[in-house]
């Protein structure tokens, strides 16, 4: 670039000098042609008086053009210097951009999927109408001060949105947060069976014991992803189960069943129940969020945002779709050490199965839905402010969602809780408990024996809880 500029500068300068000389010659010639001299006859001769000034070099004009040439040269030199500086800075800028791109790649969906695009007021009103319908229905079935207050607040929210149409000045994100809180209150007001929390002695968990069970899975130490536990249905037959993801730590199609704790600990007298005919069958298991409730396996269906239930007795499979749920490592549990294929987590509780996931609409934050285990339909849905990628794992106790985070290789901590009864989020918990390896593939609570069951890489651990 600089060589070309220098060559251009010299050529331009030479061209200007040639043109200057040519113009000066033309000027002199034109001046001579324009002047007429009257001659006089003296001593048989014609004498003409000529003024030599017509041949004078036009110094002033030359200096003016020379100054212009010098100014142009100075400008070109400065331009050349700027080009050199840019040639030095551009590689540094390019390297910086590459580093930024690598750092924000995992959050690319925030932009590409229009996560923070402005929400239309019509969409806000439609969502508000849906919440109002839910609250109104709950008030008709079971009127209370809470449902009455909620309906009043929803009416005020409708008026606020109507005012937005007129003033055109509003904060969409603030309104979205407000609607999420109203939705959680409306979900809580829905009819829930009276015995839903019959075995809960206190609202928030206070203690987790040291591991009371520690063993390797029964198949192979190389299978670092999976789940295990005990049938979570109250008064159900004592059955322990173990599910290992054996195809790329992503897929599985069998679940190992034990009829007693002793058989489980001894790895004997088990039966491998086939959930699907192959790892890639549409009813195969994807991810480690599996749970067993009432002799039925609940899990994420193969490569879809759907929940499958497989009844071991009848061999029947049901499916239900999770609207807008992120899958294929879009919203996995990812605190410090990410575990792939953990987008959807199933949990069991008294009389219900829970599904924990995240959506773009909720900014990648955790969404909790309650499933009817028999009909396999979604009955309630709550939205939290907890970003799913900032969590190691989750479990539910008595309608309260708990989240854990990594402390070190041998210790985990429960740091967050969301109470579906009140919609209250608690960020001040600090319940530490032990583990034997860094990664957690699955963590679930069992209401029958009040234990936590963890699939800790290839190890199976259990803990007593006091709640």
């Amino acid at each position: 670039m600089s060589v070309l500029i220098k060559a251009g500068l010299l050529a331009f300068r030479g061209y200007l000098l040639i043109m200057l000389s040519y113009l000066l010659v033309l000027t002199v010639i034109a001046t001579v042609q324009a002047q007429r001299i009257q001659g006089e006859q003296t001593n048989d001769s014609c004498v003409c008086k000529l003024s030599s000034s017509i041949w004078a070099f036009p110094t002033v004009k030359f200096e003016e053009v020379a100054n212009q040439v010098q100014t142009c040269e100075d400008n070109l030199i400065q331009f050349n210097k700027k080009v050199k500086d840019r040639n030095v800075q551009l590689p540094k800028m390019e390297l910086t951009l590459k580093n930024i791109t690598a750092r924000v790649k995992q959050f690319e969906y925030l932009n590409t999927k229009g996560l923070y695009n402005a929400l239309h007021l019509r969409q806000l009103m439609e969502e508000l109408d849906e919440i109002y319908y839910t609250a109104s229905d709950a008030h008709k079935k079971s009127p209370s001060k809470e449902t009455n207050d909620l309906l009043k607040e929803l009416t005020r929210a409708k008026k606020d949105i109507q005012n937005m149409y007129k003033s055109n000045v509003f904060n969409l994100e603030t309104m979205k947060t407000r609607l999420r809180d109203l939705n959680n209150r409306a979900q809580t007001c829905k009819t829930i069976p009276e015995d839903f929390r019959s075995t809960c002695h206190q609202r928030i968990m206070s203690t987790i014991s040291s591991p009371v069970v520690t063993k390797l899975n029964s198949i192979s130490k190389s299978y670092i992803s999976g789940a295990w536990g005990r049938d979570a249905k109250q008064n159900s037959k004592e059955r322990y189960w173990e599910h290992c993801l054996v195809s790329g730590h992503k897929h599985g199609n069998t679940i190992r069943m034990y009829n007693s704790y002793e058989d489980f600990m001894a790895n004997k007298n088990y039966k491998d129940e086939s959930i699907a005919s192959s790892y890639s069958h549409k009813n195969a298991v994807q991810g480690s969020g599996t749970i067993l409730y009432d002799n039925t396996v609940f899990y994420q269906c193969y490569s879809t945002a759907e929940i499958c239930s497989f009844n071991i007795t009848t061999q029947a499979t049901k499916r239900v779709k999770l609207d807008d749920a992120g899958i294929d490592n879009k919203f996995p549990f990812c605190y410090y050490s990410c575990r792939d294929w953990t987008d959807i987590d199933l949990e069991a509780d008294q009389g219900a199965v829970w599904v924990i996931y995240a959506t773009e609409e909720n900014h990648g934050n955790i969404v909790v839905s309650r499933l009817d285990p028999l009909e396999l339909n979604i009955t309630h849905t709550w939205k939290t402010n907890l970003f799913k990628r900032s969590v190691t794992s989750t479990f539910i106790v008595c309608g309260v969602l708990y989240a854990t985070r990594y402390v070190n290789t041998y210790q985990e901590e429960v740091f967050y809780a969301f109470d579906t009864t009140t919609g209250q989020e608690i960020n001040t918990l600090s319940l530490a408990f032990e583990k034997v390896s860094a990664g957690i593939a699955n963590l679930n609570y069992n209401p029958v024996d009040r234990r936590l069951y963890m699939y800790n890489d290839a190890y199976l651990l259990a803990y007593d809880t006091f709640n």
Side-chain angles (χ1 to χ4, degrees):
M1 177 77 74
S2 59
V3 173
L4 291 174
I5 291 174
K6 287 181 178 178
L9 177 61
L10 292 173
F12 179 69
R13 200 173 176 189
Y15 173 75
L16 286 177
L17 290 174
I18 292 171
M19 292 301 297
L20 175 61
S21 302
Y22 179 69
L23 288 172
L24 291 174
V25 171
L26 288 177
T27 301
V28 172
I29 294 174
T31 304
V32 172
Q33 290 176 346
Q35 230 178 34
R36 293 184 178 183
I37 306 300
Q38 188 70 33
E40 294 181 0
Q41 185 175 356
T42 304
N43 299 326
D44 298 327
S45 300
C46 181
V47 179
C48 298
K49 295 181 179 180
L50 299 176
S51 174
S52 62
S53 62
I54 65 173
W55 298 103
F57 189 81
T59 306
V60 175
K61 292 183 178 180
F62 178 81
E63 288 178 349
E64 182 179 345
V65 174
N67 288 336
Q68 291 178 0
V69 171
Q70 185 62 46
T71 300
C72 183
E73 182 180 3
D74 292 341
N75 290 338
L76 284 172
I77 291 173
Q78 292 179 7
F79 179 73
N80 186 36
K81 184 177 181 300
K82 290 180 179 179
V83 171
K84 287 182 177 180
D85 292 340
R86 283 181 172 83
N87 288 339
V88 174
Q89 295 298 325
L90 281 174
K92 295 180 181 179
M93 295 170 64
E94 184 179 1
L95 181 62
T96 301
L97 287 173
K98 286 182 179 180
N99 291 338
I100 292 174
T101 301
R103 286 160 54 192
V104 303
K105 185 174 180 60
Q106 61 178 321
F107 303 107
E108 186 178 3
Y109 65 89
L110 295 177
N111 178 56
T112 59
K113 298 300 182 181
L115 189 57
Y116 289 108
N117 287 350
L119 298 174
H120 298 299
L121 292 178
R122 182 181 299 176
Q123 292 175 320
L124 287 177
M125 185 62 80
E126 288 176 356
E127 184 176 347
L128 185 57
D129 286 339
E130 184 177 348
I131 298 172
Y132 189 91
Y133 174 80
T134 300
S136 178
D137 186 61
H139 184 69
K140 290 178 181 178
K141 292 180 179 178
S142 180
S144 65
K145 182 179 183 302
E146 171 64 22
T147 56
N148 187 59
D149 291 343
L150 179 58
L151 288 172
K152 289 181 180 179
E153 190 165 345
L154 286 166
T155 301
R156 287 196 296 269
K158 279 189 174 184
K159 291 181 179 179
D160 290 342
I161 293 181
Q162 289 170 352
N163 291 333
M164 289 177 185
Y165 278 104
K166 299 176 183 179
S167 63
N168 200 30
V169 178
F170 51 88
N171 187 325
L172 289 169
E173 289 302 319
T174 299
M175 178 56 73
K176 194 65 178 176
T177 299
R178 183 177 173 188
L179 291 186
R180 180 176 58 232
D181 293 338
L182 290 170
N183 171 73
N184 288 347
R185 288 172 58 187
Q187 295 295 319
T188 300
C189 288
K190 281 185 177 181
T191 302
I192 295 179
E194 294 181 358
D195 61 349
F196 178 61
R197 299 181 181 87
S198 61
T199 62
C200 299
H201 299 287
Q202 63 186 59
R203 291 304 309 146
I204 302 300
M205 179 182 291
S206 59
T207 307
I208 301 175
S209 74
S210 298
V212 294
V213 177
T214 303
K215 70 185 290 285
L216 281 169
N217 72 69
S218 63
I219 302 177
S220 171
K221 188 177 181 180
S222 64
Y223 295 150
I224 61 172
S225 188
W228 82 286
R230 175 179 174 172
D231 193 319
K233 172 71 173 178
Q234 293 280 13
N235 304 317
S236 63
K237 179 182 178 181
E238 182 184 20
R239 301 189 77 185
Y240 288 84
W241 58 275
E242 180 184 9
H243 174 65
C244 300
L245 297 179
V246 296
S247 177
H249 311 307
K250 180 179 181 180
H251 297 129
N253 66 331
T254 61
I255 184 169
R256 182 161 290 185
M257 306 296 299
Y258 302 86
N259 288 323
S260 70
Y261 178 74
E262 290 73 19
D263 287 344
F264 164 74
M265 292 301 294
N267 293 335
K268 66 179 184 179
N269 299 327
Y270 58 79
K271 181 180 180 181
D272 289 333
E273 298 284 354
S274 178
I275 298 174
S277 58
S278 68
Y279 299 140
S280 59
H281 189 273
K282 68 175 183 177
N283 291 335
V285 180
Q286 176 162 312
S288 57
T290 304
I291 199 72
L292 181 71
Y293 180 88
D294 196 17
N295 205 37
T296 301
V297 186
F298 294 85
Y299 58 94
Q300 180 189 349
C301 312
Y302 178 85
S303 196
T304 64
E306 294 181 336
I307 300 302
C308 281
S309 68
F310 173 77
N311 188 294
I312 295 176
T313 303
T314 65
Q315 301 286 292
T317 301
K318 294 181 180 179
R319 307 170 74 96
V320 62
K321 184 179 180 181
L322 291 177
D323 291 334
D324 302 322
I327 62 171
D328 293 332
N329 289 326
K330 190 171 190 177
F331 298 117
F333 291 127
C334 204
Y335 190 96
Y336 180 75
S337 179
C338 297
R339 282 298 176 265
D340 292 339
W341 323 117
T342 55
D343 301 88
I344 296 177
D345 182 28
L346 278 298
E347 300 289 333
D349 207 338
Q350 297 90 333
V353 172
W354 303 81
V355 55
I356 300 160
Y357 54 105
T359 64
E360 290 181 0
E361 185 273 335
N362 198 36
H363 296 193
N365 296 329
I366 286 178
V367 176
V368 183
S369 290
R370 184 175 183 268
L371 302 179
D372 181 332
L374 296 178
E375 299 298 328
L376 198 65
N377 55 9
I378 297 174
T379 63
H380 305 68
T381 296
W382 295 263
K383 301 174 184 178
T384 76
N385 289 304
L386 181 63
F387 191 52
K388 192 168 183 291
R389 280 180 171 266
S390 69
V391 173
T392 300
S393 191
T394 56
F395 60 93
I396 288 184
V397 181
C398 298
V400 178
L401 169 75
Y402 294 90
T404 74
R405 62 186 172 194
Y406 176 97
V407 177
N408 55 50
T409 302
Y410 305 109
Q411 193 174 53
E412 196 77 8
E413 179 188 49
V414 176
F415 73 99
Y416 170 93
F418 173 79
D419 192 340
T420 59
T421 301
T422 63
Q424 180 183 8
E425 294 182 282
I426 304 170
N427 295 285
T428 57
L429 291 180
S430 181
L431 300 178
F433 58 100
E434 301 171 21
K435 55 186 180 179
V436 296
S437 187
I440 297 177
N442 181 279
L443 185 62
N444 65 84
Y445 173 79
N446 190 295
V448 178
D449 55 15
R450 299 178 190 173
R451 282 185 173 179
L452 278 176
Y453 292 87
M454 178 195 288
Y455 198 105
N456 186 198
D457 286 335
Y459 291 90
L460 312 181
L461 283 72
Y463 309 81
D464 285 330
T465 63
F466 305 91
N467 59 293

